[in-house]
Amino acid sequence: MSGRRRWRTVGGLLAAAVLMVGAAPGVSAGAVGAGGAAGVPSVVSVDAGSVPAVGTDWGAPGPYAVSVEVGIVHTFYRPQDLGQSGKPHPVIIWGNGTGAVPAVYSSLLRHWASHGFIVAAANTPTSNYAISMRLGIDVLEQRNADSSSPYHRKVDLAHIGSAGHSQGGAAAVNAAIDPRVITAVPIQPGPLTDPDLMDEPVFYLAGQQDRIVWPVLVKGMYQDSDHVPAVYGEVRGAGHLDSIGDGGDFRAPATAWFRYWLMGDGAAGRMFFGPDCGYCTDSALWSGWERNAAALRLSAPTA
């Protein structure tokens, strides 16, 4: 079955998913396969010397004080002193779950800002089509070009990621259709999306005990992303609401993913790629973990 047909079938099972009962997948031994010689994609081209070191505790706060700007369409979470490292800041655009607003996820979004990201969170409680999320990039482009703005020449528009939870997780995939977005982290994503339309590296996060977006549905999206480097992580014991607030156990791996793809942080990349990837055998965190063939071909970064 083709990837596109397979996902339509999986999406059509959403209504029946609440009736499905099955054992959660175990951490796959095959997921630890050897990294290939293809190397790290050229998209990771940030000057690693501009990334403040944070060790490997990706769930700990970063080195930046955080400022929050609440607007009509977006809420921006950003380092208080933009450009203090002399380098521009990469961007994460965010989509909320159904009926939610950025304040519901404020601690997670502040966490990313503390690591040096500018987070453009769409205020809409219905984010699925990612219109407001993509508009956040437009706003930052304008501010980056405005000499009177504190964002002037401080936004790294070449390194933009999308993320979201539930309905916003589907929106993270939909937003990645935009050529300005280079990677995505859908957290417990809803079904109204088509992974075949995106061509960026993607990290799918599911919750083992999620009874709203069942792991099997997220796994279907992952399997449908066989045309790009894709990783699937199922957080042990997590329900659908465990990712709100500070992100719970979803926070650290999502932060590591963005630090690698948007900042070129080699230590973060080694959590995902190569034969000795840090997350591959972490059965305390994951009830399920897989990397597809495209991801397995990526070597662990050395920088």
Side-chain angles (χ1 to χ4, degrees):
M1 182 182 294
S2 71
R4 190 178 302 275
R5 288 183 58 202
R6 180 171 62 246
W7 172 239
R8 286 174 179 164
T9 301
V10 171
L13 292 174
L14 178 65
V18 295
L19 301 177
M20 299 173 64
V21 178
V27 176
S28 171
V32 191
V40 178
S42 60
V43 71
V44 185
S45 59
V46 184
D47 176 9
S50 69
V51 181
V54 295
T56 58
D57 187 357
W58 317 112
Y64 293 94
V66 174
S67 177
V68 181
E69 306 168 15
V70 181
I72 296 174
V73 181
H74 301 93
T75 299
F76 292 94
Y77 299 79
R78 64 170 178 85
Q80 191 172 85
D81 298 317
L82 287 169
Q84 68 182 40
S85 69
K87 301 290 184 179
H89 298 270
V91 175
I92 300 171
I93 56 175
W94 172 263
N96 309 301
T98 303
V101 294
V104 173
Y105 307 92
S106 182
S107 294
L108 172 61
L109 306 183
R110 290 179 65 93
H111 175 77
W112 285 338
S114 79
H115 278 258
F117 299 100
I118 296 172
V119 182
N123 290 341
T124 177
T126 53
S127 59
N128 196 91
Y129 295 107
I131 295 171
S132 296
M133 291 173 67
R134 296 172 65 180
L135 181 60
I137 304 175
D138 297 336
V139 172
L140 288 174
E141 286 179 338
Q142 294 167 3
R143 293 184 178 185
N144 191 59
D146 181 357
S147 60
S148 66
S149 170
Y151 292 82
H152 181 52
R153 296 183 178 177
K154 296 181 175 68
V155 186
D156 184 354
L157 295 168
H159 294 89
I160 300 173
S162 62
H165 171 239
S166 196
Q167 182 179 156
V173 177
N174 293 334
I177 297 171
D178 191 308
R180 297 171 295 182
V181 175
I182 67 169
T183 190
V185 178
I187 302 173
Q188 300 168 294
L192 299 180
T193 188
D194 184 353
D196 284 309
L197 298 177
M198 65 176 293
D199 57 4
E200 295 81 16
V202 57
F203 180 27
Y204 291 101
L205 284 164
Q208 182 187 18
Q209 301 299 326
D210 192 336
R211 297 298 180 258
I212 295 177
V213 177
W214 284 60
V216 66
L217 300 176
V218 184
K219 189 72 166 292
M221 288 190 188
Y222 159 76
Q223 292 170 338
D224 198 27
S225 299
D226 52 5
H227 58 296
V228 296
V231 176
Y232 172 80
E234 184 180 298
V235 176
R236 183 173 299 282
H240 193 66
L241 300 183
D242 287 359
S243 55
I244 68 174
D246 66 0
D249 286 336
F250 298 84
R251 180 179 70 248
T255 301
W257 182 269
F258 280 134
R259 283 188 63 93
Y260 175 59
W261 287 104
L262 302 183
M263 290 181 168
D265 186 337
R270 289 190 291 275
M271 299 300 291
F272 299 95
F273 304 112
D276 301 314
C277 76
Y279 282 135
C280 288
T281 56
D282 190 351
S283 59
L285 176 59
W286 309 112
S287 54
W289 173 266
E290 291 189 25
R291 300 180 293 172
N292 70 1
L296 286 169
R297 285 194 292 269
L298 303 184
S299 300
T302 58

